[in-house]
Amino acid sequence: MAAPRIALIHALRLSPPAIMEAFARLWPEPMLMNLLDDSLSADLARDGALTPAMTERFLGLAAYARRTGADAILFTCSAFGPPIEAVKAAHPTIPVLKPNEAMIDAALDAAPSGRIGLVATFRPTFDSMRPEFAEAAARRGITLDLREGFAEGAMAALEQGDGAVHDARAAEAAQGLGDCEAIALAQFSLARAAPVVARATGRPVLTTPDSAVARLRSLLGA
């Protein structure tokens, strides 16, 4: 059986390395294609809200991926939940994954009390992920207690090549989240900070890349 072709669609320049590393480590067989439009995140930060035009852009990227023969589509920016839902509806015959849906399930597995810390480096991510966590918890009958920590300056540090400062800012944000049972790292680019966050908090740390790769491998029967 031929290896599946998986389209990875990015809205941040920092996302591709993390997901490529996760595939290389956990499931190297698929053929991966990367589509990047980093103006999407810039436009969202500027406008402060998702727009119909952004949804159309997501639909266009997904349609292009399908024309290349993609067997699945994984989005890697956590702030665009509704546009990704539109893509899911437009392509019901293949797996289309939000960047965080597999991690949310893993976090709820690790925190059955519902006390989960969420660390992000892009503020609009909280608005997108908050309802996704709530819906997933409600399906399980879990009362969600989501604590949010913004890692101020972490993304800028990583863009400037200072990974150590990025990771330290993520750990600082996580340490302020109280007695949560598990910590979820929202951005794909945050995955590199997982060991530092785990050492600083002593809590299980879930990342979007590892969870997404595992989910796709299961869905595609590999």
Side-chain angles (χ1 to χ4, degrees), residues 24-211:
R25 176 166 41 84
L26 300 172
W27 189 26
E29 290 81 10
M31 177 184 295
L32 305 177
M33 62 176 293
N34 290 276
L35 300 177
L36 169 66
D37 180 358
D38 57 353
S39 70
L40 282 163
S41 55
D43 291 347
L44 178 56
R46 179 198 65 206
D47 297 342
L50 296 167
T51 66
M54 290 178 190
T55 297
E56 289 302 316
R57 289 161 69 184
F58 270 76
L59 289 167
L61 289 166
Y64 173 78
R66 284 292 283 147
R67 289 197 299 272
T68 71
D71 299 300
I73 299 173
L74 170 64
F75 290 91
T76 66
C77 186
S78 304
F80 294 92
I84 298 171
E85 289 293 343
V87 173
K88 283 176 175 275
H91 300 279
T93 61
I94 66 166
V96 176
L97 264 64
K98 292 180 180 178
N100 35 53
E101 61 184 273
M103 182 188 68
I104 288 171
D105 286 338
L108 289 167
D109 288 342
S113 74
R115 297 194 312 276
I116 297 172
L118 178 64
V119 176
T121 57
F122 186 56
R123 284 194 187 276
T125 295
F126 292 122
D127 293 334
S128 180
M129 290 189 68
R130 204 175 292 125
E132 294 172 12
F133 262 105
E135 290 167 13
R139 286 195 299 270
R140 298 181 181 215
I142 292 174
T143 300
L144 181 66
D145 180 4
L146 188 66
R147 294 100 182 271
E148 299 171 1
F150 179 63
E152 187 77 49
M155 184 175 289
L158 194 58
E159 288 174 340
Q160 295 163 9
D162 197 335
V165 168
H166 167 272
D167 297 353
R169 294 289 173 83
E172 289 167 8
Q175 286 176 307
L177 297 177
D179 63 339
C180 53
E181 286 185 289
I183 294 171
L185 302 182
Q187 272 70 49
F188 273 59
S189 54
L190 264 170
R192 54 160 291 132
V196 177
V197 173
R199 286 196 298 271
T201 63
R203 299 287 191 272
V205 177
L206 292 309
T207 71
T208 43
D210 282 16
S211 300

